[in-house]
């Protein structure tokens, strides 16, 4: 065996970015194809964490540490992937933010973290974000998904404004809009013409996966 | 002896304050409102990229001018809420979007009719010293959501009010309503009927809205209640001690801005701290650690001689069940034992996302219990028991004693019918009992006598604002004949 897949998996499980990165480097030196290191080594570690989280054996700080370790491994492997001309099946790009006038960020950030941990490229615009900013960033990054969070009844309308801004920018057909936040309901999502609603971060990941249908290589173990 | 519970020893308390001052001096606080930055800069703070670093001497100086006590007044001008010392008051939780429907037992968006009913029930329950602008009504345009709550409370209640604004322009509308209610801004300043909650964003961020809000309140002479809410482990250090430090730093920074805007304006050291649930990412208000945070934060405020506030008596249960009872009951006790001046949160469920009139009624009995507890065990008579035994002898029948009759009302609190002591095996469930009690309270409620001048003044302010939102009626309010639309 060329690469120590078990150790790679463990490094993610342990949330150890240094050892994840050094195992990734060792794998490359040993001639392991980067895609194989991801699929057979690191990604299964992330899946283990997800499973343990669902069973309440691991918690959010563990999940975040594992996401960091995953990032460390990927930053070593990704340039090699590109050099090999190999294409990772893209999970998709998500632009995320909280509506204008609203500074609640915890829920939105959590959604971003779990999406990142599941292999999506997430660009977090932060809080108090104007609808045009969502549209501009979506255009710039060719985003697949725009996620809009709102925690106040007064700022929920900002979610509708994002849908409209994307329409004005001519991006509406290429971008799916998802919404969330405590006062937001599925009915509201339908009313404003959004493509999806999720009640929490875990279901947000499922939602995004469903919306994009094709699955990320990381997840195809 | 008045029982009191403190969680911080002297050494820890001193370390908490030292670090809070140090954080403000070294790390600083974000401040959003340009006017607040200007005030801080001219007082000697170092401003860099929207972050203000506050010298300890400056913060200590502004602390000097904070009143150590003040009152909120009811409609008749009586001082019924005392912010200061170890006095304890309760009010319902604030600005909730949803209400647990009394009929279906399911959450649904709250409407003006729900707020009116809740205000009526709160008015009738002596355990609530103040009203809260408890619900955001979904049947009025959302941009008028904050001031409309206040209008309804003013219309249906005599009690003092714990409220808050969602934006600076609507804050001014709320001042107009309060001034209309009091008979002018000068009367409002002299005898404030309402206090405004203002939330810094954890960690260490006095956003443009929050910092401007503090300035406006100070200048208007309307009391401000800082509601700092470190979420331990997410937006604050995970340790309870660390989160209390952050709470102190946020409060101190808020007080600094507030007192620089107007020295001597009333302000409260308050908060809604919570732990962050590492499994769900929720912010459990009913957790024991959340209550511990409230107690610790209040103790720090008290050590500075300041009036205090906390957020307790709320539960994370989604239904009115045993979880709701144990979380709300135990935190009511702890808040009272900590001597927190205003304890907000009664009636609330589901991480503050759902309100319930039935729960508010049940919580009133938990609060009554807490109030009884801090009444303590008193001697009441020179001989504690001996004289009574002398009268009855060893086989004594105490029920007949005149002392029994004279003292039992002082010694025992009589809960409402919500608390079942009937011993009757056919008694209905607590939800039914609470619903019945709410119905009885509403049936006994009478709208306060509000002078036609005040009614007209209130409605004039409200209609002006409502029209701007395209509404030409005021849901939940029967317009007085004198007012032409
Ligand atoms: C923490 C908090 C704050 C903190 C925010 C800190 C921060 N850095 O984010 C502070 C103190 C700053 C704050 C301020 C205010 N708050 Co606040 N706050 C809350 C509180 C208690 C918890 C929110 C939270 O973080 N929950 C934890 C996270 C994990 O849950 P979440 O946000 O719901 O997110 C999850 C899902 O909703 C979903 N999700 C979220 N976003 C998205 C996006 C997408 C795309 C998807 C798919 C899913 C999704 O997934 C998330 C993860 O599971 C809520 C009460 C509540 N139960 O919601 C009130 C609450 C939202 N606040 C409220 C209010 C009134 C305010 C203030 C106006 C108070 C004031 N008078 O100043 C200000 C508003 C300032 C502003 N302009 O935004 C009210 C809103 C009432 C209303 N009618 O709109 C609430 C409901 C509390 C209450 N009952 O009073 N608040």
């Amino acid at each position: 065996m060329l690469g120590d897949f078990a150790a790679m998996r463990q490094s993610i499980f342990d949330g150890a970015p240094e050892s994840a990165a050094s195992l990734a480097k060792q794998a490359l030196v040993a001639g392991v194809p980067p895609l194989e290191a991801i699929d057979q080594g690191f990604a299964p570690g992330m899946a283990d964490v997800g499973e343990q989280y669902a069973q309440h054996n691991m918690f959010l700080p563990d999940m975040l540490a594992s996401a960091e370790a995953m990032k460390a491994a990927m930053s070593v492997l990704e340039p090699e992937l590109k050099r090999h001309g190999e294409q990772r099946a893209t999970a998709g790009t998500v632009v995320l933010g909280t509506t204008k006038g609203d500074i609640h960020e915890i829920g939105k950030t959590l959604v971003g973290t779990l999406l990142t941990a599941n292999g999506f490229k997430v660009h977090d615009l932060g809080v108090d974000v104007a609808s045009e900013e969502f549209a501009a960033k979506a255009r710039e990054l060719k985003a697949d998904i725009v996620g809009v969070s709102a925690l106040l009844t007064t700022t929920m309308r900002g979610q509708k404004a994002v849908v409209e801004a994307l329409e004005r920018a001519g991006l509406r057909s290429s971008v799916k809009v998802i919404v969330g936040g405590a006062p937001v309901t599925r009915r509201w999502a339908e009313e404003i013409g959004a493509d999806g609603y999720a009640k929490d971060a875990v279901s947000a990941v499922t939602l995004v996966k469903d919306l994009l249908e094709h699955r990320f290589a990381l997840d195809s173990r | 002896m008045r029982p009191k519970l403190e969680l911080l020893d002297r050494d820890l308390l001193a370390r908490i304050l030292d670090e809070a001052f140090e954080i403000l001096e070294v790390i600083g606080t974000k401040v959003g409102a340009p006017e607040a930055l200007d005030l801080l800069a001219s007082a000697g703070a170092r401003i860099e990229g929207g972050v203000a670093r506050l010298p300890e001497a400056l913060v200590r100086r502004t602390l000097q001018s904070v009143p150590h006590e003040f009152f909120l007044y009811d409609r008749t001008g009586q001082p019924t809420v005392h912010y200061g010392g170890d006095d304890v008051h309760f009010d319902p939780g604030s600005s909730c979007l949803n209400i647990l429907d009394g009929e279906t037992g399911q959450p649904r968006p709250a409407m003006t009719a729900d707020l009116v009913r809740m205000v009526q029930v709160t008015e009738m329950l002596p355990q609530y010293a103040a009203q809260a602008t408890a619900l955001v009504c979904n049947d009025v345009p959302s941009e008028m959501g904050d001031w409309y709550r206040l209008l309804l409370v003013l219309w249906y209640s005599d009690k003092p009010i714990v409220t808050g604004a969602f934006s600076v322009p609507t804050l001014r509308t709320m001042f107009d309503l309060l001034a209309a209610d009091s008979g002018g801004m000068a009367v409002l300043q002299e005898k404030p009927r309402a206090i405004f909650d203002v939330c810094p964003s954890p960690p260490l961020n006095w956003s443009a809205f929050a910092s401007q809000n503090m300035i406006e309140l100070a200048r208007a002479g309307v009391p401000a209640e800082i509601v700092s809410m470190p979420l331990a482990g997410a937006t604050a250090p995970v340790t309870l001690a660390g989160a209390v430090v952050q709470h102190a730093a946020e409060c101190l920074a808020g007080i600094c801005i507030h007192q620089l805007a107007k020295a001597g304006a009333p302000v409260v050291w308050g908060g809604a701290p919570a732990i962050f649930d590492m499994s769900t990412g929720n912010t459990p208000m009913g957790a024991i650690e959340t209550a511990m945070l409230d107690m610790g934060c209040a103790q720090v405020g008290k050590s500075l001689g300041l009036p205090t506030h906390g957020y307790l008596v709320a539960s994370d249960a989604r239904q009115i069940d045993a979880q709701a009872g144990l979380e709300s009951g135990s935190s009511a006790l702890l808040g009272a034992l900590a001597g927190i001046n205003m304890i907000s949160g009664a009636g609330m469920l589901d991480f503050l996302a759902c309100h319930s009139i039935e729960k508010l009624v049940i919580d009133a009995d938990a609060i009554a219990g807490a109030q009884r507890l801090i009444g303590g065990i008193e001697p009441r008579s020179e001989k504690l028991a001996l004289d009574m035994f002398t009268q009855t002898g060893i086989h004594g029948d105490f029920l007949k004693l005149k002392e029994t009759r004279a003292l039992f009302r002082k010694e025992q609190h009589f809960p409402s019918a919500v608390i079942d002591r009937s011993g009757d095996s056919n008694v209905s469930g607590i939800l039914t009992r609470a619903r019945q009690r709410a119905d009885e309270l509403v049936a006994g409620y009478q709208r306060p006598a509000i002078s036609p001048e005040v009614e007209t003044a209130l409605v004039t302010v409200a209609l002006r604002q409502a029209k701007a939102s395209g509404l030409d009626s005021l849901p939940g309010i029967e317009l007085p004949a004198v007012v032409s639309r």
Side-chain angles (χ1 to χ4, degrees):
Chain A
M1 196 177 71
L2 285 169
D4 189 346
F5 293 134
M8 293 178 199
R9 186 170 180 162
Q10 192 65 37
S11 72
I12 300 300
F13 192 80
D14 293 343
E18 293 85 7
S19 67
S22 84
L23 284 162
K25 280 179 203 142
Q26 284 167 31
L28 292 180
V29 171
V32 180
L35 203 56
E36 219 174 290
I38 298 172
D39 283 351
Q40 294 177 43
F42 297 110
M46 207 61 226
D48 293 343
V49 175
E51 226 161 80
Q52 292 303 309
Y53 174 77
Q55 290 172 19
H56 301 291
N57 294 323
M58 285 177 101
F59 296 88
L60 289 169
D62 306 319
M63 176 90 96
L64 262 60
S66 295
E68 278 304 307
M70 193 71 202
K71 233 196 232 137
M74 291 306 291
S75 66
V76 174
L77 297 173
E78 236 163 9
E80 279 308 299
L81 269 183
K82 282 214 185 92
R83 236 171 40 85
H84 285 229
E86 280 177 16
Q87 267 290 320
R88 233 171 47 175
T90 49
T93 302
V94 183
V95 168
L96 202 59
T98 303
T99 52
K100 189 81 207 147
D102 196 327
I103 56 166
H104 292 87
E105 67 182 336
I106 300 164
K108 178 257 317 154
T109 307
L110 207 56
V111 169
T113 303
L114 287 208
L115 285 172
T116 307
N118 281 274
F120 294 91
K121 275 218 162 18
V122 175
H123 187 91
D124 191 337
L125 290 168
V127 296
D128 192 13
V129 182
S131 52
E132 297 76 30
E133 272 182 75
F134 279 97
K137 196 45 91 177
R139 179 192 300 281
E140 182 194 324
L141 301 178
K142 298 195 174 58
D144 303 288
I145 302 266
V146 168
V148 195
S149 182
L151 267 281
L152 297 169
T153 28
T154 43
T155 58
M156 276 166 66
R157 281 169 304 154
Q159 296 179 322
K160 186 164 183 225
V162 173
V163 174
E164 290 163 357
L166 287 167
E167 264 161 20
R168 275 198 305 277
L171 293 170
R172 189 63 190 93
S173 54
S174 58
V175 178
K176 303 272 186 213
V177 182
I178 62 170
V179 292
V184 178
T185 57
R186 184 158 315 229
R187 218 178 70 207
W188 168 254
E190 281 162 15
E191 201 178 311
I192 64 170
D195 301 294
Y197 156 83
K199 70 172 197 334
D200 57 33
V202 175
S203 34
V205 173
T206 319
L207 171 68
V208 169
K209 283 184 177 167
D210 287 352
L211 282 173
L212 296 183
E213 273 175 8
H214 53 238
R215 301 175 73 197
F216 187 31
L218 281 184
D219 204 28
S220 63
R221 70 217 110 87
Chain B
M1 183 198 91
R2 153 88 187 257
K4 200 170 165 182
L5 189 53
E6 293 187 332
L7 300 186
L8 311 172
D9 65 21
R10 246 218 239 133
D11 176 50
L12 188 55
L13 186 58
R15 286 173 62 192
I16 286 169
L17 274 170
D18 283 351
E19 277 197 34
F21 283 114
E22 197 174 336
I23 283 175
L24 289 178
E25 194 156 336
V26 179
I27 315 263
T29 175
K30 278 200 213 161
V31 177
E35 203 179 345
L37 285 167
D38 287 349
L39 281 173
L40 291 168
S42 42
R46 203 152 47 84
I47 314 286
E48 232 175 307
V51 173
R53 295 197 173 74
L54 312 178
E56 179 167 344
L58 166 64
V59 182
R60 287 206 183 271
R61 181 164 62 77
T62 53
L63 268 177
Q64 301 272 307
S65 57
V66 182
H68 286 195
E69 61 170 345
F70 64 90
F71 289 92
L72 294 183
Y73 296 79
D74 68 10
R75 181 186 302 284
T76 66
Q78 291 305 307
T80 54
V81 169
H82 177 231
Y83 275 97
D86 286 335
D87 282 9
V88 174
H89 311 276
F90 292 84
D91 78 308
S94 277
S95 25
C96 204
L97 298 165
N98 295 314
I99 186 148
L100 200 71
D101 189 293
E103 298 298 317
T104 66
Q106 293 301 312
R108 59 162 173 80
M111 302 293 164
T112 45
D114 299 311
L115 180 54
V116 171
R117 183 173 161 88
M118 186 169 273
V119 172
Q120 293 173 339
V121 167
T122 306
E123 196 71 1
M124 295 296 286
L125 289 166
Q127 289 86 350
Y128 299 113
Q131 291 274 357
T133 41
L135 298 170
V136 178
C137 307
N138 289 269
D139 49 347
V140 298
S142 56
E143 67 268 21
M144 41 192 276
D146 59 352
W147 67 260
Y148 205 79
R149 309 168 298 165
L150 180 62
L151 173 70
L152 288 177
V153 178
L154 289 170
W155 198 259
Y156 287 99
S157 168
D158 274 343
K159 290 185 179 181
I161 306 162
V162 177
T163 187
F166 297 163
S167 75
V168 171
T170 45
L171 174 69
R172 299 201 176 111
T173 303
M174 293 170 87
F175 288 164
D176 290 347
L177 287 171
L178 286 167
D181 176 73
S182 294
M185 210 57 202
V187 189
L188 177 66
Q189 286 162 353
E190 193 193 327
K191 292 189 166 185
R193 181 150 174 222
I195 184 164
F196 282 71
D197 288 349
V198 185
C199 303
S201 306
L204 303 170
N205 181 3
W206 277 91
S207 67
F209 165 56
S211 48
Q212 191 62 40
N213 206 341
M214 288 299 271
I215 294 175
E216 304 279 330
L217 285 163
R219 295 207 173 124
V222 175
E225 187 160 79
I226 299 176
V227 181
S228 154
M229 41 189 323
L231 303 174
T235 62
V238 68
T239 56
L240 301 188
V244 174
V245 170
Q246 179 178 318
H247 175 276
E250 288 176 357
C251 285
L252 289 170
I255 288 172
C256 191
I257 296 168
H258 185 258
Q259 294 296 302
L260 287 173
K262 181 131 188 284
V267 60
V268 174
W269 182 276
I275 53 162
F276 187 76
D277 185 281
M278 291 303 175
S279 183
T280 59
N282 281 321
T283 51
M285 299 306 292
I288 189 68
E289 298 87 350
T290 293
M292 292 165 76
L293 284 169
D294 277 272
M295 298 171 81
C297 292
Q299 195 186 334
V300 176
K302 282 172 179 295
S303 76
L304 297 168
L306 302 178
T308 54
H309 161 272
Y311 229 96
L312 297 164
V313 209
S315 168
D316 305 315
R318 295 172 60 91
Q319 295 293 330
I320 295 174
D321 55 13
Q323 180 186 342
L326 73 88
E327 289 177 342
S328 307
S330 53
S331 71
L333 290 178
L334 292 170
L337 285 171
I340 300 173
N341 297 148
M342 182 61 77
I343 301 174
S344 305
M348 290 200 126
L349 294 161
D350 193 11
F351 310 93
L352 306 186
C354 189
H355 225 315
S356 159
I357 291 174
E358 290 71 29
K359 179 170 183 289
L360 196 66
V361 165
I362 298 168
D363 289 346
D365 270 301
I367 291 168
Q371 286 164 333
R372 174 64 192 92
L373 174 71
I374 56 176
I377 296 182
E378 293 293 322
R380 310 262 190 232
S381 52
E382 201 176 316
K383 286 290 176 202
L384 304 175
L386 191 65
D387 285 349
M388 288 188 247
F389 270 108
T390 316
Q391 292 178 60
T392 61
I394 198 158
H395 299 296
D397 181 357
F398 293 95
L399 198 52
K400 281 191 200 143
L401 279 193
K402 67 173 192 320
E403 282 85 348
T404 303
R405 179 147 181 251
L407 292 173
F408 80 95
R409 284 190 177 80
K410 280 197 183 130
E411 286 294 299
Q412 300 184 3
H413 161 70
F414 296 94
S416 77
V418 164
I419 302 299
D420 173 37
R421 289 183 182 167
S422 66
D424 178 352
S425 57
N426 292 324
V427 75
S428 54
I430 190 153
L431 198 55
T432 310
R433 301 200 298 275
R435 205 175 290 147
Q436 274 166 3
R437 172 123 169 96
D439 285 343
E440 282 163 23
L441 292 169
V442 170
Y445 164 88
Q446 270 194 323
R447 206 183 140 228
I450 305 179
S451 77
E453 295 77 51
V454 168
E455 284 196 346
T456 308
L458 282 172
V459 165
T460 307
V461 174
L463 275 178
R464 191 182 66 219
Q465 291 302 323
K467 276 180 185 148
S469 300
L471 206 68
D472 62 0
S473 67
L474 302 174
I477 288 181
E478 224 171 282
L479 292 184
V482 280
V483 179
S484 66
R485 301 237 182 134

